Amino acid sequence: MLRSLREQPTPPLEVVVVDQSDRPYRLDPFPGLVHVHAPQLGGLTAARNAGIERARGDVVLFFDDDVVLRSDCVRE
């Protein structure tokens, strides 16, 4: 998922990753990445709520980690 975001011709304003694992994921940094490590959260809805609380943009999209984006879908 993150690789396909990095490859977008039009980058997103930000990408909020809510990490509920016991130990934080090692993510390659890129502009706009916000990594929230919150193992205390309980499930998908709590993770999405935590992500949206930190989002700054007017449009929020939710993606799972196995999604691959089409080229320039951010602009579209």
Side-chain angles (χ1 to χ4, degrees):
M1 173 61 204
L2 294 178
R3 182 178 303 132
S4 70
L5 272 171
R6 278 189 219 99
E7 294 172 354
Q8 291 291 309
T10 304
L13 170 67
E14 68 182 342
V15 175
V16 179
V17 174
V18 179
D19 175 359
Q20 298 181 73
S21 63
D22 290 333
R23 298 171 73 177
Y25 293 141
R26 289 183 47 97
L27 301 176
D28 293 333
F30 62 91
L33 176 64
V34 178
H35 183 185
V36 179
H37 181 244
Q40 76 283 1
L41 294 178
L44 181 61
T45 302
R48 287 183 172 175
N49 287 336
I52 207 164
E53 286 175 1
R54 289 162 178 83
R56 296 178 295 148
D58 294 331
V59 177
V60 176
L61 303 172
F62 296 106
F63 297 109
D64 292 327
D65 59 356
D66 61 348
V67 171
V68 177
L69 301 173
R70 291 185 332 192
S71 181
D72 222 12
C73 73
V74 171
R75 182 184 60 80
E76 292 177 19

